[in-house]
Amino acid sequence: MNEIRGQLWHGRFAEGPAEALQQLNDSFPFDRRMYREDIDGSRAHVTMLAQVGLLSDAERDGILVALDAVEAEMADGSFVAASSDEDIHTAVERRVTELEPAGAKMHTGRSRNDQVASDVRLWTRRAIDEVLDVLFRMQEALLAQAEQAGDAFLPGYTHLQQAQPVSLAHHLLAHCWMLSRDVDRLLDARRRTDVSVLGAGALAGSSLPLNPHATAALLDYPAVFDNSLDGVADRDFVADTLYALTMTGVHLSRLGEELILWASTEFGFVELDDAFSTGSSMMPQKKNPDIAELARGKAGRLLGNLTGFLASVKGLPLTYNKDMQEDKEPLFDAVDTVRLTLLAMEGMVSTLTFRTDRMAKQASSPYAAATDLAEWMVAQGTPFREAHAVVGELVRRALGGEGSLPALVAADERLGPEAAALLEPGVSFARRATHGAGGPTAVESQLERFRGRLELDRQRAASLRM
Ligand code: ARG
């Protein structure tokens, strides 16, 4: 057994903790990352305690000075941990009290249960803001490429089979809109994160005249908990954030998968910049899309963080249980993973060279315009099902060697030369002009709409920060 080494809860114990307990129990190695949030929370708490008369102004000021000193030690790496520092909360309080005797009063009316929930909320709020910044940069990179793509077009795919040609800008914008939904989910998660739980105590509030609204205001929380039990037990905001990050990771994975295909010799649709690709240690000719592959791989890890966390909390009775200490590592890892993946993917996307000649060649098979041909007949009054059958039969005859599709179309009395002209490269996709369609005029207004959406999202994100 270890000796009792000044654990904050030592009073009730005659013996010190076992080594294995300490190793399993201590969260300081990973939760020290929240030292700013912990110290900010304590600043607000002691300020409130002085407001309601539980601390003198001199005691409050002494504690605030000590909190500044501890923050500086944490920031410059000079903080020396004690073996009794179980977590960031005990570490800060222990050190403040060494520096300032009034530190013994700073935990008045507070539990680590409301404290840790508040710290994680403050940390998550800041992390979401940082992820949003890189998400916006990623969207800008895709948008810039879409704007430069001009009238370039490529095959659109279903089942990874060539389906109908679409403009390159349209394809890139599809990824932009996916990421907009991630922005939306993160903003939503942020709203539910932004609730103060300080004052909930261990689980039941306090008999002391605390003012949770004052603490909330000092920490710029726009809302306050309604129920102390829910206040300390709620980790929904962690799950919400993990889901939003996982979905972002899944989107980056799908984009990554396309870039991997497009960079292959077989597709040859993109050339990767040297700075954002890697070589092979053995095969001199290789240039590999590692960033895109890692984006694809990291999505699995993000999914693991989300499901692992949900499994940890699913059976917990109210209120705080130590299982909840398992919220931080998946959350920190997910934030780090998404942020870094976004940064790397942003660099990769903004330095891509599109081989629009290869794209156009692949998209110029006359068969790709078969649907447009049927639609041309519909415009002349033919029922669609009949038009589908007519074109289908011509396709079958062309594939059977009776002649080229354009020649068969030109010679067919129901179609003729005007219809055959639709099969020229780049003609059919340009005719798709309905809302949200892949032709150039529709894409012009879509670019406009997306720019507006991005601007609006930036404003929404900015309005939440002080
Ligand atoms: N280190 C703990 C956590 O991360 C802090 C809360 C501990 N509370 C308690 N009563 N043991 O969840």
Side-chain angles (χ1 to χ4, degrees):
M1 289 296 149
N2 293 331
E3 285 183 29
I4 295 185
R5 278 181 287 195
Q7 270 82 9
L8 291 177
W9 35 261
H10 65 85
R12 190 220 175 282
F13 286 76
E15 266 186 299
E19 193 62 41
L21 172 133
Q22 223 168 331
Q23 274 186 32
L24 180 67
N25 199 39
D26 287 2
S27 54
F28 189 59
F30 53 86
D31 69 16
R32 62 178 303 162
R33 201 172 156 166
M34 304 191 301
Y35 75 88
R36 282 202 180 85
E37 289 74 18
D38 194 72
I39 288 171
D40 281 343
S42 288
R43 287 185 177 118
H45 184 65
V46 299
T47 303
M48 179 277 292
L49 289 179
Q51 282 170 7
V52 302
L54 288 166
L55 285 181
S56 71
D57 287 357
E59 287 169 331
R60 174 200 59 203
D61 293 343
I63 295 173
L64 289 175
V65 168
L67 283 167
D68 288 349
V70 176
E71 184 173 33
E73 288 178 5
M74 290 274 179
D76 69 18
S78 64
F79 182 89
V80 182
S83 69
S84 61
D85 292 344
E86 282 179 54
D87 50 27
I88 184 63
H89 329 293
T90 53
V92 171
E93 186 184 336
R94 190 259 315 150
R95 182 70 183 129
V96 165
T97 311
E98 278 171 14
L99 296 170
E100 163 60 53
K105 293 192 175 182
M106 72 187 273
H107 211 51
T108 305
R110 184 175 72 175
S111 158
R112 278 185 292 158
N113 299 351
D114 56 346
Q115 189 180 0
V116 69
S118 177
D119 289 5
V120 179
R121 283 174 185 273
L122 291 173
W123 190 91
T124 304
R125 185 170 80 175
R126 196 187 308 214
I128 288 176
D129 290 343
E130 287 167 15
V131 171
L132 284 171
D133 284 342
V134 259
L135 248 175
F136 291 141
R137 285 175 55 179
M138 179 75 212
Q139 288 183 303
E140 292 282 4
L142 286 162
L143 177 61
Q145 288 284 17
E147 280 168 339
Q148 276 168 34
D151 284 347
F153 61 99
L154 76 164
Y157 296 84
T158 61
H159 313 271
L160 200 55
Q161 305 287 321
Q162 291 189 1
Q164 293 183 287
V166 292
S167 87
L168 174 57
H170 190 52
H171 194 114
L172 294 169
L173 280 166
H175 289 284
C176 289
W177 293 109
M178 288 155 82
L179 296 175
S180 291
R181 292 193 295 276
D182 297 324
V183 168
D184 204 44
R185 272 183 281 271
L186 282 166
L187 288 170
D188 204 35
R190 193 191 190 286
R191 182 174 57 77
R192 275 190 291 271
T193 299
D194 216 1
V195 177
S196 185
V197 294
L198 281 174
L203 76 165
S206 178
S207 62
L208 296 166
L210 305 181
N211 182 355
H213 291 91
T215 332
L218 287 164
L219 291 166
D220 290 326
Y221 278 119
V224 180
F225 71 98
D226 286 301
N227 176 308
S228 63
L229 301 175
D230 184 40
V232 296
D234 174 16
R235 291 293 183 279
D236 294 6
F237 67 99
V238 175
D240 289 340
T241 305
L242 283 172
Y243 172 63
L245 293 170
T246 303
M247 211 52 233
T248 308
V250 166
H251 287 153
L252 293 175
S253 171
R254 295 182 75 174
L255 174 60
E257 169 63 11
E258 287 197 331
L259 293 176
I260 292 162
L261 284 171
W262 289 9
S264 67
T265 309
E266 287 74 5
F267 274 79
F269 287 0
V270 288
E271 181 75 37
L272 305 178
D273 189 80
D274 282 2
F276 293 94
S277 46
T278 54
S280 158
S281 56
M282 182 170 166
M283 299 168 282
Q285 84 283 12
K286 294 269 285 184
K287 193 166 177 185
N288 295 328
D290 288 31
I291 292 176
E293 292 169 71
L294 283 165
R296 198 174 54 184
K298 297 283 186 194
R301 173 186 180 124
L302 290 162
L303 188 56
N305 284 330
L306 171 65
T307 53
F309 169 72
L310 288 173
S312 291
V313 292
K314 82 164 185 48
L316 300 185
L318 297 181
T319 52
Y320 180 83
N321 301 270
K322 202 53 171 273
D323 318 44
M324 287 155 79
Q325 184 164 282
E326 292 295 307
D327 59 356
K328 283 170 270 310
E329 286 163 294
L331 178 65
F332 295 166
D333 184 72
V335 167
D336 292 342
T337 300
V338 168
R339 194 169 26 197
L340 188 57
T341 307
L342 276 168
L343 277 174
M345 286 288 276
E346 183 225 343
M348 182 180 187
V349 164
S350 49
T351 55
L352 281 179
T353 308
F354 291 99
R355 304 273 309 277
T356 52
D357 53 328
R358 298 259 320 174
M359 291 179 170
K361 191 159 172 254
Q362 285 299 326
S364 296
S365 149
Y367 299 109
T371 310
D372 303 281
L373 209 52
E375 287 179 357
W376 181 88
M377 289 183 74
V378 167
Q380 317 297 311
T382 310
F384 177 73
R385 196 44 64 207
E386 193 181 322
H388 187 284
V390 168
V391 176
E393 189 200 322
L394 291 175
V395 167
R396 182 171 52 76
R397 287 171 49 200
L399 290 171
E402 285 185 42
S404 75
L405 184 63
L408 293 174
V409 169
D412 193 293
E413 60 190 15
R414 294 158 297 187
L415 290 150
E418 189 192 325
L422 295 179
L423 306 181
E424 294 293 320
V427 172
S428 70
F429 99 95
R431 289 165 50 93
R432 273 183 251 115
T434 48
H435 170 86
T441 50
V443 169
E444 258 329 299
S445 57
Q446 189 191 156
L447 273 167
E448 202 58 48
R449 276 204 313 283
F450 182 73
R451 274 189 224 106
R453 169 68 187 255
L454 187 54
E455 185 47 38
L456 190 72
D457 283 348
R458 280 186 184 285
Q459 284 169 16
R460 287 165 76 203
S463 72
L464 298 169
R465 307 177 194 190
M466 303 299 150

